[in-house]
Amino acid sequence: METFYQAMRRQGVTRRSFLKFCSLTATSLGLGSAFVPRIAYALETKPRVPVIWLHGLECTCCTESFIRSAHPLAKDAILSLISLDYDDTIMAAAGHQAEAILDDLIKNHKGNYIVAVEGNPPLNEDGMFCFPGGEPFVEKLKRVSADAKALIAWGSCASWGCVQAAKPNPTRATPVHQVILDKPVIKVPGCPPIPEVMAAVITYMVTFDKIPELDRQGRPKMFYGQRIHDKCYRRPHFDAGQFVESWDDDGARKGYCLYKMGCKGPTTYNACSTVRWNDGVSFPIQSGHGCIGCSEEGFWDKGSFYDRVTSIPQFGVEANADKIGFTVAGTAGAAIAAHAAVSAIKSTMLKKQDLQPLDAAAPAQNKDKNEENV
Amino acid sequence: MKSYGFDGNAPQGLGRKVTSVYVYEAPVRLWHWVTVLCIITLSITGYLIGKPLPSVPGEATFNFVMGYIRFAHFTAGYILAIGLIGRLYWALVGNHHAREIILVPVWDKGWWKEFFFEVRWYLFIERYPKKYIGHNPVGQIAMATFLWVAVFMCFSGFALYGEGLGTKSWAYQAFGWVISAFGGNSLTVHNWHRLGMWSIILFVMIHVYAAIREDIMSKQSMVSTMISGFRMFKD
């Protein structure tokens, strides 16, 4: 079987470029220089692992991101390799030809291929809301995944559900890990994920033939181990207490922290603030807009992108923790004041009533006695 | 049937006798006031972490406003958590009043009878209050609820703190699962942590009011009991 190196050479990649790719990959994976020859050796000798790229309910932004991977060789090599296998969006074949390739892949590489899923299966109406190649996507996903080695969930759609799963989720779009329960699912969330992150994750898996180290939620630790906030270049302004108070104010011009403008950097695990986008040119915060937390679970349903204390839909429209808190505390304060007033009245009345009988009781008793005497 | 309070209702006229019972041992009192200071610090700094103060001028190098606020919050959080552990320990080794707010006898019919008596007392239906050496049943429920909220605040707080410390930190290792339990987006945990703050503020308002009111209306000491440890019955 063809190795990666052979496939790359066939695509016109020089050995020099190949070694550059290996060192870039080692760096982006956070591995030392000693790993460069190991990656090269693995790519030269191991038969390449087939990758099947499936498209469910999605917008193809993951693919758009992936084909813009800034390390040119990552794009050329990996994309070429994948297009040789199956990716109905960018492969040369179409229609029955394409589906025939998919059937062949499943048969010939049973238990040995990786399924990369972009988008997710909608489950309502027996999956009829997504119907590629004449079968519901949920069935296609289950059929292809049955003999897979592992699954990669590309983007927030496959990882969490994203916009199509936002309330009220009419198609019941469901993330991949809730449908495929018997295979490891590696989540690479983001809307879209960073191209270099996608390329590196897939390279790691086909190079080392194992799953990268995952965090509690199934994301590769090497790219999702830290929050945007932790490596944000505006972090010193956060610690200093210097914030953008409104758009285009002095703070915005000085590049202050966007925390008050609702930046979700403190709750978002992704590599944007380190890897950045478009060949490391920029990322949202650098462009002056807060992070919207697109790689986090249910980010569409967590209130405004522009509030720090976000609204809680369960408590009504536009209610956030502070509004609820002030309302409850205010009501309680009024209730306490009213209760205290009634208590004071009661005390006064009791004092009058209790003290009177003590004085009045004596004559009353005497009166009774008098009557008895009579 | 075991009785929890005693009937201190009818006024006994002149020649009132002041009796006192030692209720709250020193560690309980210390815990109470340390927790008070922690709650004040945590609420103010916590509010300001969600809604920060206006920006400070000057270079970021020479300012650390948000840093100090967060430091105060985390330190007070540690103290609150250590205090809670200490308080739970004291519930095991202290006198039986130390257990009242942790083990609420909800299985006891007599306790419920007195609970509803207290509810009626607070609704002005009962003419005279009962007297309790320790907590009355409504107070017991309120305190137990506060303890659970405080425990939740520690769990959610350390989970969020662990995010800042990093995934290898003890806090993330021990409490990071809380974030997963809330669905995975720590924004949700932030929201619940803030609602927890407001529920504690609500508790404090009612707690302080009820204590002062009982001190006056039930003719038994409440506020000074948490200072001296002795409950005094004034008639």
Side-chain angles (χ1 to χ4, degrees):
Chain A
M1 204 194 287
E2 199 177 31
T3 65
F4 270 103
Y5 180 61
Q6 285 165 342
M8 283 177 171
R9 291 305 300 267
R10 192 162 47 73
Q11 297 289 321
V13 173
T14 62
R15 176 153 184 89
R16 185 182 172 82
S17 297
F18 167 74
L19 290 174
K20 266 189 187 169
F21 167 70
C22 293
S23 55
L24 269 171
T25 304
T27 311
S28 66
L29 290 172
L31 303 169
S33 55
F35 276 86
V36 178
R38 282 181 61 183
I39 290 174
Y41 181 75
L43 292 177
E44 280 165 359
T45 53
K46 279 190 183 177
R48 69 188 175 83
V49 179
V51 177
I52 299 174
W53 191 309
L54 296 181
H55 296 261
L57 210 60
E58 45 96 342
C59 73
T60 319
C61 78
C62 298
T63 299
E64 289 290 342
S65 173
F66 185 71
I67 59 175
R68 280 159 183 76
S69 178
H71 309 317
L73 285 169
K75 183 185 73 180
D76 286 350
I78 302 292
L79 181 60
S80 304
L81 290 166
I82 289 170
S83 75
L84 286 173
D85 296 339
Y86 181 85
D87 181 341
D88 50 26
T89 306
I90 47 180
M91 70 196 298
H96 292 296
Q97 265 187 322
E99 297 310 307
I101 293 171
L102 182 61
D103 292 339
D104 284 351
L105 274 168
I106 296 169
K107 205 162 61 191
N108 297 339
H109 299 279
K110 199 169 179 171
N112 204 33
Y113 57 88
I114 291 167
V115 177
V117 190
E118 186 178 345
N120 55 32
L123 300 185
N124 263 1
E125 310 291 347
D126 297 324
M128 292 300 160
F129 290 104
C130 188
F131 212 81
E135 77 179 310
F137 180 64
V138 59
E139 281 171 25
K140 185 178 185 178
L141 176 64
K142 280 178 180 166
R143 177 167 61 88
V144 177
S145 302
D147 294 319
K149 191 158 60 177
L151 273 77
I152 302 177
W154 282 149
S156 292
C157 299
S159 301
W160 310 119
C162 205
V163 66
Q164 61 271 45
K167 287 183 185 76
N169 191 1
T171 64
R172 224 179 112 213
T174 309
V176 169
H177 68 277
Q178 290 176 19
V179 177
I180 306 300
L181 305 169
D182 56 344
K183 302 281 176 189
V185 177
I186 297 101
K187 293 183 189 137
V188 187
C191 193
I194 302 170
E196 284 75 13
V197 169
M198 299 174 81
V201 168
I202 209 162
T203 310
Y204 185 97
M205 287 178 68
V206 296
T207 308
F208 294 109
D209 200 15
K210 65 177 184 189
I211 294 164
E213 202 187 344
L214 304 177
D215 70 358
R216 274 197 184 85
Q217 304 187 35
R219 303 171 292 198
K221 273 185 180 170
M222 53 183 129
F223 296 112
Y224 296 89
Q226 278 182 317
R227 302 170 300 168
I228 305 289
H229 191 57
D230 295 321
K231 285 279 174 72
C232 181
Y233 78 105
R234 296 194 184 196
R235 178 63 190 266
H237 290 299
F238 171 82
D239 289 327
Q242 296 175 321
F243 303 99
V244 176
E245 306 281 347
S246 65
W247 298 117
D248 293 328
D249 70 352
D250 197 40
R253 278 188 284 279
K254 284 178 178 161
Y256 283 178
C257 175
L258 291 153
Y259 186 79
K260 282 188 182 177
M261 304 311 291
C263 179
K264 302 291 182 288
T267 55
T268 303
Y269 288 83
N270 209 336
C272 301
S273 50
T274 41
V275 177
R276 306 193 185 189
W277 290 79
N278 300 320
D279 203 2
V281 168
S282 184
F283 71 112
I285 294 167
Q286 197 173 343
S287 312
H289 189 286
C291 165
I292 63 169
C294 75
S295 57
E296 283 298 310
E297 178 266 331
F299 78 102
W300 291 102
D301 290 327
K302 302 292 177 195
S304 169
F305 295 152
Y306 302 101
D307 291 329
R308 174 59 207 164
V309 179
T310 55
S311 50
I312 305 166
Q314 285 80 0
F315 290 94
V317 183
E318 299 301 311
N320 66 32
D322 282 352
K323 281 178 190 161
I324 296 162
F326 275 120
T327 311
V328 171
T331 314
I336 286 170
H339 199 272
V342 177
S343 301
I345 293 166
K346 183 184 175 180
S347 285
T348 321
M349 281 165 59
L350 276 184
K351 247 180 221 159
K352 276 185 191 163
Q353 288 172 4
D354 289 346
L355 289 176
Q356 273 168 356
L358 279 179
D359 304 329
Q365 280 172 358
N366 288 343
K367 198 185 170 191
D368 288 347
K369 276 177 191 169
N370 291 342
E371 279 170 2
E372 278 170 29
N373 289 342
V374 169
Chain B
M1 191 180 68
K2 196 167 73 173
S3 182
Y4 292 93
F6 57 88
D7 196 20
N9 52 13
Q12 284 147 28
L14 298 169
R16 287 170 180 168
K17 207 169 70 181
V18 175
T19 45
S20 67
V21 186
Y22 190 54
V23 183
Y24 301 127
E25 296 154 295
V28 175
R29 274 136 55 205
L30 182 70
W31 169 76
H32 178 271
W33 294 111
V34 167
T35 303
V36 168
L37 291 178
C38 285
I39 287 175
I40 293 169
T41 313
L42 286 165
S43 298
I44 294 170
T45 55
Y47 184 83
L48 292 176
I49 289 170
K51 295 251 173 78
L53 293 166
S55 297
V56 291
E59 286 296 319
T61 315
F62 306 113
N63 287 297
F64 200 55
V65 176
M66 200 66 176
Y68 287 129
I69 289 174
R70 292 173 73 239
F71 176 78
H73 192 81
F74 300 147
T75 308
Y78 266 114
I79 295 170
L80 182 87
I82 293 164
L84 272 176
I85 295 167
R87 182 63 182 80
L88 289 174
Y89 168 74
W90 197 256
L92 296 175
V93 299
N95 67 18
H96 74 273
H97 293 297
R99 278 185 285 282
E100 275 172 356
I101 61 169
I102 290 152
L103 209 61
V104 182
V106 286
W107 56 86
D108 189 336
K109 261 189 170 171
W111 182 87
W112 279 106
K113 216 180 131 197
E114 302 208 9
F115 173 83
F116 288 114
F117 178 91
E118 279 301 314
V119 171
R120 288 197 302 275
W121 160 242
Y122 281 112
L123 291 174
F124 308 108
I125 297 169
E126 289 292 335
R127 192 178 174 91
Y128 299 107
K130 281 193 173 179
K131 293 194 195 307
Y132 290 89
I133 294 169
H135 293 83
N136 75 50
V138 174
Q140 250 178 304
I141 288 271
M143 292 306 304
T145 310
F146 163 75
L147 276 183
W148 282 112
V149 174
V151 168
F152 166 74
M153 292 304 272
C154 289
F155 274 67
S156 57
F158 279 116
L160 296 172
Y161 179 61
E163 289 200 299
L165 289 186
T167 47
K168 289 203 171 96
S169 65
W170 76 268
Y172 189 85
Q173 297 289 334
F175 293 103
W177 59 269
V178 176
I179 294 165
S180 307
F182 273 87
N185 190 338
S186 65
L187 205 59
T188 315
V189 186
H190 276 282
N191 265 335
W192 282 104
H193 196 65
R194 206 160 177 87
L195 285 173
M197 172 190 83
W198 281 108
S199 69
I200 287 178
I201 289 173
L202 180 70
F203 165 80
V204 169
M205 289 169 70
I206 296 170
H207 176 70
V208 171
Y209 168 67
I212 293 172
R213 181 180 184 269
E214 284 306 293
D215 206 319
I216 297 166
M217 291 189 68
S218 299
K219 301 192 177 68
Q220 50 187 326
S221 70
M222 287 281 154
V223 182
S224 65
T225 308
M226 214 16 113
I227 298 168
S228 68
F230 285 94
R231 171 139 298 148
M232 281 174 288
F233 299 98
K234 298 165 191 169
D235 54 15

